[in-house]
Every structure is written in structure tokens, then in C-alpha cells.
Amino acid sequence: MSEIPAKATESEDPSGGATDGAAVDAAAAAEARDAAGGAMWQSSPPGSIYDYIKVASFSIGPDGHVEQWSLRAENIFGIPAERAVGLDPIEAFITPQLRERGQRKMAEILDGREWTGVIPFRTPGGRGTEGLAEVYVMPTTTEHGERAAVCIIVDVRTLRSIETDLAASQSIFGQSPFGFLLIDPDLRVRRANQRFASTFGGTPDDHRGRSVHDYLQSPEAERVAATLRRVLETGDSITDMHVTGFVPGSEERKHWSVNLYRVHSGSGRPIGVAWLGTDITARRAAAREAAAARRNLALLNEAGARIGNSLDLETTARELLDVVVPGFCDLATVDLYQGLLVGDETPAGLADGSAELRRVAFASAVSDAPFGGGTAPVSVGAVFHYAFNSPCADALRTARPRHVPAEDGGLIQSTLAVPMVAHDTVVGLAQFSRTKGSEPFGERDRALAVELAARAAVCIDNARLYRREHERALILQRSLLPPGDPEASGLDIACRYLPGNAATGRPSEVGGDWFDVIELPGHRTALVVGDVMGRGLRAAVAMGELRTAVRTLAQLDLEPAEVLAQLDEIARGLGAPGGVQQATRAARRPREADLSEVYLATCVYAVYDSVTRRCTFANAGHLPPVLVEPGEAALMLDVPPGMPLGVGGEPFEEVEVELPEGALLALYTDGLVESRDHPLDEGLQAFVGALTDPSQPLEDVCDHVLNTLDTHHGEDDIALLMARVQGLPAESVGDWTLPREPRSVGRAREYARGQLLAWDMEPLVDTTELLVSELVTNALRYGEGEIRLRLLLDRTLVCEVWDSGLVQPRRRRAQDTDEGGRGLQLVGLLSAAWGSRRTPRGKTVWFELPLPDGENGLTDPAEALLSLF
């Protein structure tokens, strides 16, 4: 259909005047300019259906041509009024194949008949667009009585779009799996879908006009209403707002996730808020479960890292509470059986759960007052027991956790009494409590509490076993150390022994440090300091065996290097069931050597002679002795270090040093000078620097050293042995050389008598003469070379007879008919001690007599002689 030029038409007004068509066109053009763009289809509130559908009107004059053309018709067809007026609508808009029929319909309409139908159309021009219009034609008459018509046109495409949108909206709204609400500006429900109605009851229509206060309790309802108003005013959407409430007929608290957005009309006017909600109660529960599982796992990990770092029972209990408060509960206590704490060997508690317990730990995040689990408050350190019928006693009795009822009006809402079980033995009870306002304990919490208590119980039981072993080892170790300050001839001695961490009070494994002072014949003294490598009962036992061996070897009066050689053999045999021979065979076979325990130890062995003031040292891998001479700075003696005991295969060397009168000799273990924080060299220098005034009393010197080196003390034991040289005065020594002839026996008696009388020791004369006569006689009979007689007066009287013979005297029992063989028996009866030892040039036989003190009388020689027959 070709474009038809616009034609001006005339019509008459009721007064008979003519209206200029140009004026109409101008007015229409002005209206179009005033309603530019999309504003043509907008209106002021409250709006109408015309805001959503495209409706236009125009009029047809008696000649069948367009007489008036509205702005909305201009918008639908895209033809301004100045072009549309005067057009034949059939020719202008109807396709050619429908024009004939259209002309007939137009004639019928002008004859006064209405017509409604849908006709395709296209806009005039080569680029015209096709459309589909629903037309309603209403006959009318002009002022002059001529036939005319008014046409109302609706864009069918718009109607179909609205219809589709309504169907889609209805489908989405009705079939949505989420609760869907349309809330009007008055915050009233305008429409609800079936999903929402199925949750809150009734039909969707039943919810029209309701507000959020009909579904939610205050203050939740006020919060949601305020949010709805904010969305309505600002247009800002809300995503995943959590709402909590209850549904009718259920006391279960529900949780919803709600999305809110403002809804507009076709003209852009806000008409309400869309509410899209989904039930997330199960999701929230799952999230809580997952969070609880993560929290419990984190607590278990923390418990593994923090519980059991100390081998102290009370500390372990406090470590448990540090983990659970406040991460798991608000208050907690730990009660341990009193028998376990005092070290009883009997089972920790009675089977009925009524044994005494001691509260060892308490922690609270809300209160400083201990609680008693349904009983009166119990303070930390108090000893008590639970009533037989109480939940706590039942938990101890059955080894199962129990819930403890909360007291009315109290702070506690939920308490778990959990027995602490280690190796099928109940060692105590842990109580975990939550206050009112906290979430009560659930099954998951119950299982976690049992696991935490079990972990702590194992650590506490380990601490108990360790403490028992530690105490036994400490008792063993102390029993093997010299009691008090030992005494020795020609030496002033002071000693100190400190177990590891004695200053801090923390438990530590017992070490193998030891020292000893052994009196030897001839007013000589053996000084020993040693250290078994390793810690614990094993080291303490090894130390005891080595110390016993040292004392045994010392009584044999072996040289220091030989003593260490024998100790080395003994140490090598400690770890092998068959002794040193088995250890030697195992060393030759590496596989067997791996199965044998290796006991290594360091040791310094020194023998001091008070007559000559000479000291002989031998070292087995130990730290060097320190010597302080009067007026000189302290120095470390150059003693060959040697190999530790137990290594084997290496000889030991001896060093002899003459000690001046008043010199100070210090033997020690590495615990005094070595620690984790300070290297050995630094500790040795500090030790040497602390020995500045050897003239002070030895006790003060020991205290000064320990106080000065306190910062260097680590976790090892400390053994410190100090000796000040006080040589035997020359006037206390009688020394004579006798020729090898019978007259020497009488001469020896004369020397002894004269010396004793000079020393004012007359009560000892008879006995000494008799015993000297026996020893010199034996030297003449069985010995070789010259005979040397020496008397030494100190704390006791010692008589020594030297000769060059190597045969050691042996005491035997004489028969009644024997004429001799009773000399050594007589020596044994009359002396306090006697013996013999090898010397570099022969042997020495000696005896010792106590000094007369008025209390201990000497054995009468005549009675001793008669007792032999």
C-alpha cells in the first residue's frame, strides 16, 4: 500500500463555524512535542491499564477518511497527524489483498454498524513496518447528522507480550520452590504463592492483607519491617537476609534466607517489594555441625600440642583446663585421687568411687569461685570425696560420663562429669560446665569431653609413673652419695650435689653424676668424680655399680690408671648379659653389638698422700680438675683426658702433682659449667673466675661458686667436690730404715715406743710394740731387702712396714698344735684395721689403731694372745 499524502479536513462546530484542519494539526503537533519519548505512555499515580498496553484512537469522517488522529495513534503507526489526517485508512494501512474486504467493512460501518476484529497493517512508505492491531469501530454522527466512526486500536503484539508476561509471572510465582510474596507500599501482603502458604498454612488468598507482624515475633518483626521500608524508599536490594521465627503448630525455631527487591510498574512507579525466601534451617544446622566439628578438631589438635608437655601431675591438669576454657566450656575442674598424688602403689581409687580426691586445678571464664558439681564449692588443693549417690561418684564408679543437674537459680546450666581413664584405670574426674546463656552440651560435646579427659589422663598417668621412677632413682642416687661432708687425712673437704632443675623446682630425670671420698691406707685419700652419660633410673643404676666398683678397686690400693682400666672393663660389661667377655665378643660382631646397651661414663680418679702432699691423677674423658694455689690465679690442670669408660681399647695416663699447703683442688661435673644457653668454654672460664679467694671457708667457696654460676646451670645434675690441702706435719711422721737382720725387730720396738712417748700416746705403746714386732718379723722371714718402718699420727695411728718382697701376706687359721702362724691373727684382733698394698718397689703391710679418747679402750694384748689358743 503506497503512501497517501495527508489531507486537511474540515468539520463544523455546533455554532455552525468551520474549524481549520491546520489548527487541529498544529495542536496535535504541540501535544506530541510536549509528550516526548517514553513519557507518552506514562501517567501520574495511581496509573492505569493504559500504562501497560498501547491503546490509540482516531476518527473517520463521512467520506471514510481520517478526520482526527491522536498522539497515541501517531506512536503506534509512526505517522504524524499532519500526514494522517485525510488518509483513506483502508488504502493507507491495509495490505492489498484485504482492501476490498476492508472497503466493504468501511461501508457497513458508515451505515451504522459496529465492528471488532484483528487486522494486519503496515505503516506507509517503503520502510513501513508490519503490525497487527485489534480494532474496535463505533459508528457515530457528526453535528450535521452525517455518518462517521470512532476507532479504538490496540497493538496486538503488546497484548500478546503482556499475556506472555502474565503467564510467565504466574508460572514463576506459582511454581517457585521458594516462598514468594508481593508486599505493597503499606507493607501488606498483596500476593503470596502456594509455597509460602504451605509453610504458614491456608491458601495464598488467606495471606492477602497480612503484615510481617503476623508471621514474626518482636523484635524480629520490627527489624524486618524496617528493612522493607528501606528497600521501598531506596530501591537497594537485600540479599541473603537471615530471618528467624516459628511456623504455626511447631515450636522448632526456623531460619530463612530472604532476598528483597523493589518492584515497579510499567511506567516505572514503585508498587511494592518482592520477597523471595527459602528455608535454611537444615543448612544452618549442618553449618553448625560443621563448625562444631572444626572446633572440636581444633581443640583436639590444641590438646595434642599443649597437654603433656610437663611430667608434673598438677601442671598437666592445668594444661587441660587451659585448652577447654573458654573454647569448650565456661568453667572446669580436675580432681585426682589422693592416693595417686601421694605415690601409693595401691590402685588409684576404690571401686565404689568414694575414695578421697584432691582438687588440683580450676579454671573459669566467668567467675573466680570454684564450684563443686552439685556440692559445696571446693578450693584448689582441698581433699574431699563425693557422696555415694552423686552423679560424680557414679561417673567414677562406672568410668562413664554423667550429666550433673544444675541448681535452681545458679550460674551453671549444664555440667559434664567425665572420669579420667588411663589404661583402664580411673585416675580422677574432670568437670566441664557451661553457664546460662551458652548452648547446652550435646552428644558431640560429650564425646569430645571424653576424648580430652582421656588424653589428659594418659599424660597424668605417665607423669605419675615418671615421678615414681624419678623418686626411686633419686633415692638410689642419694643413697650412693657420701652422707654429709666426708673427712680425710690432710684434707679439708666440702661437697655439693644438686639434681637437675633443683633451682626451678621443675621435675627432671635423675642423672648419673656422683662423687666419692675414699680413705686409703697410710693417710691417703682417693677423690672421685664421675658422670654416667644418659638420664633416669638406668643411669642411676649404672652410676651405683660404677661407684661400688671404684670403692672396691680403691681398697685394693691400685694405681689410679689401673683403677680406671678396671672400671673401663666393668663399664663395657654393664650392657651385656654375659659381662665384659660377652661385650667383647659382641663388639667383634656388629649385629650383636647393636643389641647390647652401651654404658659410657666419664671419671676423674685422684689419690692424695697427706705425708708427701703429692696427688696422682688419672682421667677418663672428664673435665680437668681446677687447682688454686695460695696467691695465684686458678688454673685447669693439664691431665690427659683419656677416653670415657666403656669405650675400651685405650690406656689411661697418670699425672703426679705436688700440692702446696693451703692449695684448693676442685673436681666437678659438666652440669656446673655447661647448659643449652652457654657453651662449655664460657662455663669453664666462669668457674675458674669464681675461684678467686681459696682462703675462705670451703662451704662459703662452694656457695659462692654455685651462686655465681647459677645462670649457667642447665637441666643436668651438678656434683662439686672441693678439697683444701692440709698436709701431715713433719712432726707427726716417724720414719726409720732397718737392716735385714734379727736385731731389727727389737730396734723397731724401741723406735715405736720412743715415738709414741714423744707424741704422748703411752696407752698405745704396748699394743703398737707387739704388732710392730709381728710385722717386722714377717718382713724378715718372708720379705726381701731393707725394711722401712713408718708411724703416722693424724686422726688415727698408722704403722707401716715396707720391704722389697712381692709376696703379699695372707692370714690363715692356725691349728692348736701349730707353733706359729698366729701373727696376722693377732694383728687383726688388736688393730682397728690392717692390710697390705703393692708399691713400685715391693709391698707395704700396715695396721691402724684408734687414738685413746677415754671412751674406747684398747684390747689387752695378753687377752688377745690367750684368745688365739
Side-chain angles (χ1 to χ4, degrees):
M1 184 172 66
S2 61
E3 183 177 353
I4 303 175
K7 178 181 177 181
T9 60
E10 293 182 358
S11 60
E12 295 182 355
D13 59 17
S15 61
T19 302
D20 189 353
V24 175
D25 292 340
E31 182 181 355
R33 287 192 300 269
D34 294 338
M40 179 178 294
W41 300 100
Q42 297 177 2
S43 64
S44 59
S48 67
I49 188 62
Y50 302 110
D51 292 338
Y52 300 94
I53 61 175
K54 293 182 178 180
V55 180
S57 64
F58 64 90
S59 61
I60 299 176
D63 57 357
H65 292 179
V66 175
E67 189 175 61
Q68 292 182 342
W69 190 257
S70 68
L71 290 175
R72 297 203 176 190
E74 179 180 325
N75 184 267
I76 291 177
F77 293 103
I79 300 175
E82 57 267 20
R83 291 182 55 195
V85 174
L87 292 178
D88 183 347
I90 303 301
E91 294 293 334
F93 302 109
I94 304 302
T95 57
Q97 58 270 26
L98 296 177
R99 287 175 184 171
E100 182 179 353
R101 183 181 176 189
Q103 293 294 346
R104 290 198 302 268
K105 290 296 182 182
M106 180 61 71
E108 292 176 359
I109 291 170
L110 294 177
D111 285 341
R113 296 179 61 183
E114 291 186 359
W115 181 82
T116 301
V118 177
I119 59 174
F121 70 91
R122 69 174 184 172
T123 57
R127 296 183 180 180
T129 58
E130 295 184 352
L132 194 64
E134 182 176 322
V135 182
Y136 178 35
V137 183
M138 296 175 290
T140 184
T141 57
T142 66
E143 295 177 353
H144 303 289
E146 296 178 308
R147 299 280 185 174
V150 175
C151 298
I152 298 177
I153 302 171
V154 178
D155 188 349
V156 174
R157 289 183 176 178
T158 302
L159 288 176
R160 296 293 181 267
S161 176
I162 293 174
E163 181 182 13
T164 302
D165 291 345
L166 289 175
S169 175
Q170 181 62 31
S171 176
I172 294 174
F173 200 85
Q175 300 176 20
S176 172
F178 309 113
F180 216 148
L181 293 178
L182 180 60
I183 300 176
D184 64 18
D186 295 329
L187 304 187
R188 296 285 177 177
V189 176
R190 179 62 57 189
R191 188 177 180 186
N193 70 344
Q194 183 59 44
R195 182 71 176 182
F196 185 88
S198 64
T199 301
F200 287 91
T203 65
D205 292 339
D206 294 336
H207 295 275
R208 294 181 184 272
R210 293 184 180 179
S211 70
V212 292
H213 292 274
D214 296 318
Y215 304 103
L216 303 175
Q217 298 177 346
S218 297
E220 184 77 337
E222 284 80 0
R223 181 179 72 87
V224 174
T227 305
L228 289 171
R229 281 191 290 268
R230 186 170 65 253
V231 172
L232 195 61
E233 294 171 359
T234 64
D236 296 333
S237 300
I238 299 295
T239 303
D240 195 25
M241 178 179 72
H242 287 194
V243 177
T244 303
F246 299 88
V247 298
S250 174
E251 295 182 357
E252 179 187 4
R253 184 182 297 271
K254 291 286 187 177
H255 302 273
W256 294 277
S257 173
V258 176
N259 297 327
L260 303 175
Y261 58 91
R262 192 168 68 181
V263 180
H264 304 84
S265 67
S267 62
R269 178 177 56 87
I271 61 173
V273 177
W275 168 302
L276 183 64
T278 181
D279 191 343
I280 60 170
T281 304
R283 190 175 75 189
R284 284 281 297 270
R288 286 197 302 270
E289 287 293 315
R294 289 192 297 270
R295 180 197 65 186
N296 293 352
L297 181 59
L299 276 174
L300 289 176
N301 290 337
E302 185 180 5
R306 298 180 61 182
I307 299 177
N309 293 323
S310 169
L311 288 173
D312 178 73
L313 280 73
E314 290 82 357
T315 302
T316 302
R318 289 192 295 269
E319 289 171 347
L320 169 63
L321 301 194
D322 290 341
V323 171
V324 299
V325 177
F328 177 69
C329 59
D330 299 317
L331 301 95
T333 62
V334 174
D335 307 322
L336 299 180
Y337 278 119
Q338 177 69 358
L340 179 145
L341 294 170
V342 298
D344 291 346
E345 294 296 328
T346 56
L350 301 178
D352 60 2
S354 62
E356 286 187 336
L357 298 105
R358 184 195 304 172
R359 179 145 297 171
V360 296
F362 166 76
S364 172
V366 295
S367 173
D368 292 332
F371 69 99
T375 63
V378 178
S379 301
V380 173
V383 178
F384 67 103
H385 64 84
Y386 289 106
F388 179 81
N389 59 349
S390 66
C392 294
D394 185 58
L396 292 169
R397 192 162 48 244
T398 62
R400 295 180 179 276
R402 292 289 183 265
H403 283 280
V404 180
E407 297 181 357
D408 295 337
L411 177 68
I412 307 302
Q413 109 166 323
S414 180
T415 298
L416 280 176
V418 183
M420 305 180 71
V421 184
H423 310 299
D424 298 328
T425 300
V426 179
V427 299
L429 184 74
Q431 292 187 72
F432 310 106
S433 293
R434 290 178 179 174
T435 57
K436 293 181 179 179
S438 301
E439 185 176 355
F441 290 112
E443 287 302 318
R444 185 185 296 274
D445 296 324
R446 181 188 181 106
L448 177 62
V450 171
E451 176 65 21
L452 291 171
R455 292 194 179 195
V458 170
C459 295
I460 287 174
D461 193 54
N462 290 341
R464 177 184 65 86
L465 295 175
Y466 164 78
R467 186 172 66 178
R468 184 176 65 183
E469 179 179 338
H470 179 268
E471 291 175 351
R472 290 176 177 177
L474 194 60
I475 292 173
L476 173 62
Q477 186 184 44
R478 289 176 175 172
S479 67
L480 297 175
L481 295 174
D485 289 332
E487 295 181 356
S489 177
L491 292 175
D492 182 13
I493 294 178
C495 53
R496 293 288 187 274
Y497 174 78
L498 296 178
N501 286 332
T504 62
R506 295 179 298 170
S508 174
E509 287 190 284
V510 173
D513 294 17
W514 91 91
F515 67 91
D516 209 345
V517 178
I518 307 169
E519 291 189 79
L520 300 177
H523 290 308
R524 294 174 304 128
T525 304
L527 304 176
V528 189
V529 169
D531 183 4
V532 176
M533 298 182 185
R535 306 189 64 79
L537 187 59
R538 172 181 176 274
V541 171
M543 177 271 286
E545 294 186 11
L546 292 177
R547 177 180 180 272
T548 302
V550 169
R551 296 189 70 88
T552 302
L553 295 171
Q555 294 303 323
L556 296 177
D557 215 347
L558 302 178
E559 296 297 324
E562 189 174 353
V563 169
L564 293 186
Q566 295 296 326
L567 282 178
D568 180 58
E569 293 291 323
I570 294 172
R572 291 172 59 199
L574 290 178
V580 65
Q581 293 183 356
Q582 178 66 26
T584 303
R585 288 195 297 268
R588 296 172 182 171
R589 296 189 292 271
R591 292 185 178 179
E592 294 187 15
D594 294 340
L595 300 177
S596 300
E597 290 187 86
V598 178
Y599 287 79
L600 298 178
T602 62
C603 180
V604 169
Y605 186 85
V607 175
Y608 170 71
D609 189 334
S610 62
V611 178
T612 63
R613 294 199 311 275
R614 301 189 71 84
C615 189
T616 304
F617 297 91
N619 190 356
H622 203 80
L623 296 174
V626 175
L627 178 65
V628 187
E629 297 185 6
E632 301 290 338
L635 57 88
M636 289 182 285
L637 294 178
D638 186 13
V639 179
M643 299 298 292
L645 302 177
V647 174
E650 295 292 333
F652 298 96
E653 301 181 43
E654 292 182 355
V655 172
E656 189 175 62
V657 179
E658 184 174 353
L659 305 180
E661 186 76 18
L664 181 64
L665 180 65
L667 305 179
Y668 53 95
T669 57
D670 57 359
L672 180 68
V673 295
E674 186 178 22
S675 70
R676 296 178 180 178
D677 300 328
H678 302 276
L680 178 61
D681 291 343
E682 181 180 337
L684 288 173
Q685 293 300 324
F687 177 45
V688 171
L691 298 174
T692 55
D693 188 3
S695 62
Q696 291 185 350
L698 278 186
E699 296 294 333
D700 295 342
V701 174
C702 289
D703 294 338
H704 174 70
V705 168
L706 293 179
N707 293 333
T708 303
L709 272 66
D710 181 66
T711 56
H712 298 270
H713 176 44
E715 297 182 354
D716 201 1
D717 296 351
I718 291 178
L720 175 62
L721 177 62
M722 287 191 174
R724 177 176 286 119
V725 175
Q726 297 174 347
L728 200 63
E731 58 270 18
S732 297
V733 179
D735 195 345
W736 305 273
T737 301
L738 302 172
R740 190 172 187 78
E741 57 185 29
R743 291 183 305 173
S744 295
V745 176
R747 191 173 300 170
R749 288 197 297 266
E750 293 176 2
Y751 289 154
R753 172 181 288 273
Q755 187 65 65
L756 290 177
L757 293 177
W759 286 340
D760 196 18
M761 292 292 169
E762 184 176 358
L764 300 179
V765 171
D766 293 340
T767 301
T768 303
E769 280 187 317
L770 178 60
L771 297 184
V772 164
S773 177
E774 289 293 335
L775 294 186
V776 173
T777 300
N778 283 344
L780 289 172
R781 182 177 300 177
Y782 304 108
E784 299 176 5
E786 290 184 332
I787 299 172
R788 180 183 176 188
L789 172 66
R790 189 169 71 167
L791 295 180
L792 307 175
L793 180 63
D794 192 35
R795 293 180 298 113
T796 60
L797 175 67
V798 175
C799 176
E800 298 176 334
V801 176
W802 307 49
D803 69 75
S804 301
L806 299 178
V807 179
Q808 296 290 324
R810 182 173 61 88
R811 182 179 178 180
R812 66 182 181 86
R813 182 175 296 278
Q815 301 296 323
D816 293 342
T817 57
D818 292 342
E819 294 182 359
R822 297 180 176 83
L824 293 181
Q825 292 188 41
L826 185 62
V827 174
L829 287 174
L830 295 178
S831 66
W834 78 276
S836 66
R837 67 179 185 274
R838 291 187 178 89
T839 64
R841 298 180 181 179
K843 68 176 181 295
T844 300
V845 183
W846 58 272
F847 67 84
E848 182 177 339
L849 295 177
L851 300 182
D853 56 5
E855 297 180 3
N856 300 321
L858 295 174
T859 303
D860 183 47
E863 294 180 359
L865 285 171
L866 292 176
S867 67
L868 297 178
F869 297 93

